[in-house]
Amino acid sequence: MEDKEKDKVKILVVDDRSENLLAMDKLLKPLGAEVHKVDSGEKALSEVLAHQFAVILLDVQMPGMDGFETATLLHSNKQTANIPIIFVTAINKDHNYVAKGYEAGAVDYLPKPIVPEILLGKVKVFLQLEEQRMELEQVTKELRWISRKNKLLLDCAAEGIVGLDDQGSVTFINPTACELLGENEQTLQDRHVSHLFFEGDDAEILKQWESSEIYKSCFQEGGHIKQSSDLIHSSKGHFPAEFNAAAIVNGQNKVQGAVLVFQDITERKAMEDQLTQMAKYDNLTGLANRALFKEFLQSSIARSDRHQAHTAVMFLDLDHFKPVNDELGHEAGDKLLSNVAQRLEGCIRQVDLIARLGGDEFAVVLDDVHNEDDARVVADKILHVMAEPHQLEGTEKKVGTSIGIALYPDNSGDADSLIKAADEAMYEAKRQGRNDFRFYSDLK
């Protein structure tokens, strides 16, 4: 039963409303697919790294990262670019809006309220394509592992292949494996496989090998394992690899050796890191974005509860930023924002966080502070560094900042209300003449 569940085709539904997720789950149930439901674009990006989906049903209007942003990120990444996306939305249906969805990478666009027959008909096509792909993948896998040792090695010649005897010594290695390991066949022949994974003296290496999952799965249990692990290149050091390892068992169920089939996944891991970077960091300044800001704030509040300390949130809005854009252009404006980001980073500790929330709005989370005086010191630093002029397009431009500050738990009991309090304090600073800071506690 477990294997059947694993082989089900998968659908990802993304909608910030729980009732919509439940309704969509009910609508899709007749298709017999495994439906994954998430309530944000950020969670969708994480989910596609962990699962292979036949199709994504994506809501457009969501807080934080909307559907267009989510689809654009998925479409721009090689690993996820080919997943079909169907936008499901109840808002604007004019041509330009729909065209924006297709430009973001969608293959179809369904307006709410959903007509069940249309939804099921469209999704069914992608499920059938995915089932065909899975069937082909399963046939390929079965052919590989039921063939004899030599045929298995030849079939997998495009990947690194290592054949082992019952003691774990190398009996066969293909050219791809030699290239990936930076070795030649002669030096690897009869070498113990543990030296491909571990460094140190022979006794220590063997000890690590005999406690590894691959040794237990193949040589002790006579089974197989799929795993990611670092391998050793002779001159470049460790590199990440993904491999299948299977025991070679005779008719008496005795282990005669094993086969390792592996590939270098350095590029794939780099793409995953890039996708994470795009999902949590601002592309222009390199600061945390709104999603990471809220995530960090929740964690900081949790730490404050444990340590009986305080968390301070500062909202910053640049004063007179728009004239810089209007007079010098957006490139100058972008340079100014990057300069501001660098200056702000010099005002906080490593345990704190700075985020760009959008436009010329920034936020700071001060972790584990004692009282308002700690936040006041940081606010004074920020006002001081912001007073220095910026060199833009051969001219000097000054922009100040208005700062609103709220403390947890003094001013609020949760992250959302703390954010709102800091925002209100920031607008009060603007009303009082700009280029200054206000505490939320002063508004009462």
Side-chain angles (χ1 to χ4, degrees):
M1 182 63 71
E2 289 183 2
D3 289 340
K4 289 182 179 179
E5 286 298 316
K6 290 179 182 178
D7 290 338
K8 275 189 175 183
V9 290
K10 299 176 183 179
I11 302 170
L12 178 61
V13 182
V14 188
D15 196 303
D16 63 301
R17 298 177 68 88
S18 59
E19 61 269 30
N20 290 345
L21 292 174
L22 291 173
M24 193 67 77
D25 191 23
K26 186 175 181 180
L27 275 176
L28 296 169
K29 192 171 184 179
L31 296 176
E34 183 178 316
V35 180
H36 291 225
K37 305 180 290 295
V38 296
D39 59 5
S40 70
E42 293 84 356
K43 292 180 181 178
L45 293 175
S46 298
E47 198 73 356
V48 296
L49 293 178
H51 300 278
Q52 176 72 41
F53 291 104
V55 63
I56 298 174
L57 301 177
L58 180 60
D59 188 23
V60 173
Q61 196 171 37
M62 297 183 293
M65 182 182 296
D66 65 21
F68 292 142
E69 293 175 291
T70 304
T72 300
L73 289 174
L74 290 170
H75 192 64
S76 64
N77 186 275
K78 187 187 300 183
Q79 184 180 347
T80 58
N82 294 323
I83 304 176
I85 297 172
I86 298 177
F87 275 127
V88 183
T89 182
I91 56 176
N92 199 324
K93 304 170 188 173
D94 65 42
H95 173 76
N96 290 335
Y97 189 86
V98 174
K100 184 178 179 182
Y102 288 120
E103 290 171 0
V107 299
D108 211 337
Y109 200 104
L110 293 178
K112 296 179 182 177
I114 295 298
V115 179
E117 292 80 4
I118 295 177
L119 173 68
L120 295 177
K122 291 178 181 293
V123 171
K124 190 174 182 180
V125 173
F126 294 109
L127 296 187
Q128 290 171 341
L129 290 173
E130 179 65 4
E131 286 173 347
Q132 292 172 2
R133 186 198 67 78
M134 291 171 65
E135 289 173 2
L136 181 60
E137 184 176 81
Q138 182 64 25
V139 169
T140 303
K141 181 179 179 181
E142 290 173 356
L143 286 174
R144 286 181 176 178
W145 294 114
I146 64 174
S147 297
R148 293 183 179 181
K149 174 183 173 182
N150 289 341
K151 187 176 186 303
L152 172 63
L153 299 177
L154 293 173
D155 285 346
C156 299
E159 300 171 296
I161 304 167
V162 180
L164 306 172
D165 64 17
D166 60 350
Q167 298 301 310
S169 296
V170 175
T171 59
F172 174 91
I173 187 160
N174 74 339
T176 302
C178 292
E179 182 181 352
L180 292 174
L181 298 170
E183 301 274 11
N184 58 57
E185 185 178 354
Q186 288 72 33
T187 58
L188 289 170
Q189 193 73 28
D190 298 325
R191 192 175 184 183
H192 197 271
V193 65
S194 58
H195 290 271
L196 306 184
F197 292 89
F198 308 110
E199 293 179 303
D201 60 61
D202 289 346
E204 179 61 28
I205 290 175
L206 187 59
K207 183 179 179 181
Q208 293 182 71
W209 165 250
E210 291 180 346
S211 64
S212 68
E213 289 300 318
I214 183 173
Y215 176 79
K216 294 176 184 177
S217 298
C218 297
F219 288 87
Q220 289 186 329
E221 300 171 6
H224 62 85
I225 185 172
K226 183 175 182 179
Q227 194 177 49
S228 295
S229 176
D230 281 356
L231 292 178
I232 301 173
H233 187 283
S234 61
S235 60
K236 299 178 182 178
H238 294 263
F239 67 92
E242 182 177 79
F243 61 84
N244 285 287
I248 300 171
V249 182
N250 63 16
Q252 289 73 45
N253 206 34
K254 183 178 179 181
V255 175
Q256 299 291 292
V259 176
L260 273 64
V261 183
F262 68 93
Q263 58 182 332
D264 186 340
I265 58 171
T266 301
E267 290 187 7
R268 192 181 83 186
K269 286 186 66 67
M271 285 191 291
E272 291 173 355
D273 292 343
Q274 180 186 16
L275 194 58
T276 301
Q277 180 78 14
M278 294 169 70
K280 292 193 173 184
Y281 292 88
D282 177 56
N283 187 51
L284 174 64
T285 63
L287 298 177
N289 64 11
R290 186 180 295 271
L292 184 54
F293 160 69
K294 294 195 72 173
E295 181 181 313
F296 183 87
L297 178 56
Q298 293 280 12
S299 299
S300 181
I301 287 174
R303 286 190 292 271
S304 294
D305 289 336
R306 290 195 301 271
H307 301 157
Q308 296 184 337
H310 294 77
T311 292
V313 171
M314 311 174 74
F315 262 44
L316 293 75
D317 190 82
L318 301 186
D319 298 327
H320 310 300
F321 172 72
K322 188 175 182 299
V324 174
N325 261 350
D326 293 342
E327 294 173 19
L328 302 180
H330 288 289
E331 287 190 9
D334 287 349
K335 183 179 180 182
L336 174 59
L337 292 172
S338 297
N339 290 347
V340 168
Q342 292 176 4
R343 293 185 184 184
L344 291 176
E345 287 182 315
C347 297
I348 65 168
R349 304 164 299 175
Q350 288 187 344
V351 297
D352 302 324
L353 179 100
I354 301 173
R356 182 187 174 210
L357 304 183
D360 60 339
E361 293 182 344
F362 296 82
V364 177
V365 180
L366 301 179
D367 192 49
D368 193 16
V369 297
H370 294 93
N371 48 46
E372 288 187 352
D373 289 339
D374 290 343
R376 183 177 284 106
V377 170
V378 176
D380 283 331
K381 284 183 181 179
I382 292 173
L383 292 177
H384 176 74
V385 299
M386 291 299 294
E388 295 296 321
H390 297 265
Q391 298 295 328
L392 301 170
E393 302 295 332
T395 64
E396 286 190 350
K397 289 290 183 181
K398 286 189 175 182
V399 292
T401 184
S402 299
I403 307 172
I405 309 170
L407 268 70
Y408 173 90
D410 299 7
N411 303 141
S412 70
D414 58 75
D416 289 337
S417 57
L418 188 66
I419 290 170
K420 184 178 179 181
D423 195 39
E424 290 181 14
M426 184 267 290
Y427 278 105
E428 179 63 21
K430 281 188 173 294
R431 283 192 292 269
Q432 294 298 323
R434 302 175 183 266
N435 199 36
D436 202 353
F437 62 86
R438 289 289 184 275
F439 285 92
Y440 180 75
S441 57
D442 295 335
L443 274 58
K444 298 180 180 179

